[in-house]
Amino acid sequence: MSQLGKISDSIDAYNAHVAAESARARTDAKFAAELRAKFAQLRAAVETTQSPTGTPLPRVALPDTDEPGAIAEYLLGQGAPGQFPYATAAYREMYLDKDTATGEEPMRLFAGLGLADDTNARFKYLNRHQKSLRLSTAFDGPTLYGLDSDHEGVLGKVGEGGVAIDTVEDMQRLFAGFDLTRKDASVSMTMNAPAPVILAMFIAAAKRRFGPDCVANLRGTIQADMLKEVQAQNEVIFPVDASLRFLCDMIEWCVPNMPKWYPVSISGYHIAEAGATPVQQAAFTLSNGFTYAELLKQRGAEVNDFGPRLSFFLDCGLDVEYLVLGRVCRRIWAIGMRDVFGANAKAQILKLHTQTSGRSLIAAEFQNNLTRTAAELMVAYMNYTNSCHSNSADEPFTTPTEKYALLASHGQSILLEESGFFKHTMNLFGGSPGLLALERSVEKEILKVFREMDTLGGVIPAMEQRYQRSKIQEAGHRIETQIYSGERPIIGLNKYISDEPMPSVPLARTPPAKQRLQVTRLKAFKKKHAKKSAEALQRLENVTRGSGNVFAELISTVETCSLGQITACLTHVVGKFRPMV
């Protein structure tokens, strides 16, 4: 039995335990009294607040019951906010006015276009009204594949759809003017195959500006999830074993040296965007997370050290399952980490970033995307996501323009600051019979997927047999068929279609002159460091051929070597990824 089989059994066992304790509470007077006392203490600790219209409200919503069986079902099956199994929320208070638990805005807006200077300007535009410093970075195609901007045939792609980063000097330009050591500063980088190199550049750039002691204070996340790349997104450079080694090296280095950094964001977003159903997204994402935990455990890493530094990233669309997806994922992760991996409370908490669905954005009558995104934001916050990105309405055909990026930002501000839906009471939307029934159904379907992968030997053997990829493709085809047949209505595309011409939207493009400037800067860097780069690459090759920590070596390699030079060196040693057929 693989870990997935053990985890599935642990969820079933826990559910049976909840049912048994609920039944015991109804027949055992002493146990019932203990539960009532515990619940009374919990209720007594709840502070009250008041809405702007004068309505008194509790800051934490608890079931209005004194029945011991119902109390047991709530405390054990759901957990109060911040309590095992964390179905309601990871922390006791989130988003609330005067929130002392997090004290920071959950909004995290994505930016990346042109050269580092251009993206730096967009960062400043997006952060001008935010209380917390949030810098979430998208990279261009060549960077995502570890290629330099002067690589043959890529010039026209430089700075398109994301920022071009070739060297540590580009990284310095990207974050110029921002104090990355601020307590409320957080940087997110959507980068996978070359993630160790990009993070090493980030560290080197920060040390150049803030000194060598700044590393422990750097906060943020880098995606780095190679399993979902093989399963769904295809941005893979190195063979699977080598990719996982580089990732685990990075995690092991970051845990003691960057205690505020999440060195992997286990991503379901791209799985969903590739066509997966909400259940498949959750099942594949959670199973990938458990696989990383197992790989690190096999290397001798302590689960209570690395567990709290694992983070998750989910898509949020308009299918009904999304109403509970984050809640169910937190519950499964907490039980699996506790009962199978022996993790403590900090390592049981699933920290979640959510992004509204890119797949739901439609070019036809694209301004309807504002409504779609607003609805998806509501669902994301009902799941008590820890941070959130809202897509721009014009993304079906361009990198977001300033106008629609600002509207995407305002969508979250209206929900969190203007509305009262999340300002006063935690878990205002939880606990209804319909929501609980949906949670149980979604959890059951996720465990079915776990058991299917277990019969194939686990996540990696299933991946080698293209299980995840084939399931995603089947689901994506089914959705497209439903759209074309009209079974799945898309307003403005296959229903209520307007005869009005689509308004013109300016396309965000990187001018050829800027693309040539990037190449000029890169060539100057390579010429300046020609001798030292050869020596640094040889040291990196030696470490990669041995058993040392590759990421630790990369931090010095990036001082004199470009992304493309490093990628070529690593490929020379470990080879290239070959798709599984």
Side-chain angles (χ1 to χ4, degrees):
M1 178 183 290
S2 72
Q3 289 291 349
L4 291 182
K6 296 177 183 177
I7 290 161
S8 300
D9 288 349
S10 74
I11 305 298
D12 287 343
Y14 189 79
N15 289 339
H17 169 69
V18 173
E21 291 296 271
S22 178
R24 181 162 77 97
R26 294 184 173 98
T27 58
D28 186 328
K30 182 179 179 182
F31 183 50
E34 291 173 356
L35 285 173
R36 285 194 175 103
K38 184 177 181 179
F39 199 54
Q41 288 180 342
L42 190 64
R43 192 181 295 282
V46 174
E47 299 177 4
T48 59
T49 185
Q50 195 174 66
S51 76
T53 58
T55 303
L57 295 166
R59 283 178 68 86
V60 176
L62 297 173
D64 185 16
T65 182
D66 189 51
E67 201 278 310
I71 293 173
E73 288 174 357
Y74 174 76
L75 292 178
L76 297 175
Q78 293 282 303
Q83 293 185 4
F84 186 90
Y86 308 103
T88 50
Y91 301 107
R92 187 173 187 269
E93 293 191 358
M94 295 168 64
Y95 320 148
L96 302 183
D97 282 346
K98 301 176 183 178
D99 181 357
T100 56
T102 59
E104 296 180 11
E105 294 170 313
M107 189 189 308
R108 187 187 286 280
L109 296 175
F110 202 33
L113 72 161
L115 276 53
D117 321 70
D118 303 309
T119 299
N120 179 273
R122 177 59 67 88
F123 281 155
K124 289 172 181 173
Y125 175 78
L126 292 174
N127 278 271
R128 29 179 207 159
H129 299 307
Q130 287 192 252
K131 296 188 289 292
S132 305
L133 182 59
R134 293 288 182 266
L135 307 173
S136 187
T137 317
F139 298 87
D140 71 359
T143 305
L144 292 170
Y145 283 96
L147 300 175
D148 278 343
S149 295
D150 63 354
H151 191 86
E152 183 179 0
V154 307
L155 181 61
K157 295 294 184 182
V158 171
E160 291 289 299
V163 62
I165 299 294
D166 294 310
T167 69
V168 64
E169 292 177 358
D170 291 328
M171 194 67 76
Q172 288 180 280
R173 296 183 190 101
L174 182 63
F175 297 110
F178 292 107
D179 183 359
L180 302 179
T181 63
R182 275 172 48 175
K183 288 185 178 180
D184 67 341
S186 180
V187 174
S188 174
M189 293 182 279
T190 301
M191 174 60 59
N192 292 286
V197 185
I198 292 297
L199 181 56
M201 286 183 180
F202 175 74
I203 292 169
K207 288 167 71 175
R208 286 185 177 190
R209 183 174 172 200
F210 302 107
D213 295 335
C214 75
V215 178
N217 294 320
L218 298 175
R219 296 180 64 220
T221 310
I222 191 163
Q223 199 165 103
D225 180 0
M226 289 313 302
L227 291 175
K228 64 90 179 170
E229 288 297 325
V230 178
Q231 296 164 8
Q233 187 161 287
N234 304 322
E235 289 167 5
V236 190
I237 299 173
F238 313 110
V240 172
D241 288 348
S243 296
L244 293 175
R245 175 197 171 183
F246 298 156
L247 171 57
C248 290
D249 281 355
M250 183 172 71
I251 294 172
E252 287 193 337
W253 188 92
C254 287
V255 166
N257 294 291
M258 297 179 76
K260 299 178 181 179
W261 189 267
Y262 293 98
V264 61
S265 175
I266 303 151
S267 175
Y269 184 85
H270 305 95
I271 291 172
E273 292 295 291
T277 67
V279 164
Q280 289 171 339
Q281 177 194 183
F284 296 157
T285 305
L286 288 167
S287 62
N288 289 346
F290 286 125
T291 299
Y292 289 130
E294 180 63 17
L295 289 171
L296 289 162
K297 183 179 176 182
Q298 289 172 356
R299 287 168 61 118
E302 170 55 48
V303 65
N304 293 329
D305 293 334
F306 70 75
R309 307 321 305 160
L310 303 179
S311 64
F312 289 81
F313 175 23
L314 292 180
D315 198 347
C316 187
L318 295 177
D319 288 299
V320 66
E321 294 90 344
Y322 284 112
L323 284 167
V324 300
L325 211 62
R327 303 164 66 88
V328 173
C329 285
R330 278 195 301 270
R331 190 175 188 275
I332 291 175
W333 182 255
I335 296 169
M337 289 297 282
R338 189 192 72 170
D339 295 350
V340 176
F341 288 90
N344 64 15
K346 286 185 177 180
Q348 295 165 12
I349 298 174
L350 185 148
K351 274 79 71 176
L352 176 61
H353 174 72
T354 305
Q355 182 172 342
T356 60
S357 173
R359 191 173 64 177
S360 74
L361 302 180
I362 304 299
E365 298 183 42
F366 75 95
Q367 289 173 327
N368 285 332
N369 294 331
L370 293 167
T371 304
R372 293 185 180 100
T373 295
E376 290 162 357
L377 285 172
M378 185 73 174
V379 172
Y381 283 115
M382 285 173 63
N383 278 274
Y384 284 84
T385 186
N386 299 94
S387 62
C388 191
H389 167 76
S390 41
N391 288 328
S392 299
D394 55 353
E395 285 191 57
F397 34 78
T398 183
T399 296
T401 56
E402 284 192 354
K403 172 184 176 180
Y404 285 103
L406 185 62
L407 288 173
S409 165
H410 285 171
Q412 294 198 56
S413 297
I414 290 169
L415 193 62
L416 293 174
E417 298 179 47
E418 185 175 330
S419 87
F421 300 153
F422 300 99
K423 291 177 69 173
H424 311 296
T425 301
M426 277 291 295
N427 201 34
L428 193 64
F429 299 96
S432 73
L435 204 66
L436 293 174
L438 185 58
E439 286 181 23
R440 288 191 291 269
S441 181
V442 169
E443 180 181 278
K444 183 178 179 180
E445 293 304 306
I446 290 172
L447 295 186
K448 280 185 182 178
V449 179
F450 276 16
R451 290 197 163 95
E452 285 183 10
M453 286 190 283
D454 179 52
T455 63
L456 299 174
V459 167
I460 294 178
M463 192 169 71
E464 291 170 347
Q465 298 171 63
R466 296 178 61 86
Y467 170 82
Q468 295 95 331
R469 184 171 285 272
S470 65
K471 292 295 183 181
I472 292 169
Q473 290 171 341
E474 289 171 7
H477 179 264
R478 182 168 60 252
I479 289 170
E480 291 301 311
T481 300
Q482 290 170 344
I483 292 172
Y484 281 109
S485 70
E487 180 184 352
R488 182 181 285 261
I490 306 294
I491 306 304
L493 180 66
N494 63 11
K495 194 169 187 179
Y496 309 135
I497 302 170
S498 172
D499 294 329
E500 295 294 321
M502 188 175 77
S504 62
V505 175
L507 301 183
R509 301 302 301 269
T510 302
K514 286 194 173 185
Q515 294 172 329
R516 291 192 294 270
L517 173 60
Q518 180 68 12
V519 171
T520 299
R521 287 173 169 176
L522 172 61
K523 288 185 180 298
F525 178 90
K526 288 180 177 178
K527 183 177 179 181
K528 176 182 177 181
H529 298 291
K531 183 178 178 181
K532 289 185 177 180
S533 66
E535 297 169 353
L537 291 170
Q538 185 59 58
R539 289 193 296 272
L540 177 63
E541 179 177 335
N542 293 340
V543 172
T544 307
R545 291 190 185 279
S547 58
N549 188 298
V550 174
F551 182 74
E553 185 63 31
L554 282 172
I555 296 172
S556 60
T557 309
V558 298
E559 292 284 356
T560 56
C561 301
S562 70
L563 172 62
Q565 289 174 320
I566 293 170
T567 301
C569 174
L570 295 174
T571 301
H572 174 69
V573 178
V574 303
K576 294 182 178 181
F577 173 75
R578 297 183 184 278
M580 298 163 183
V581 295

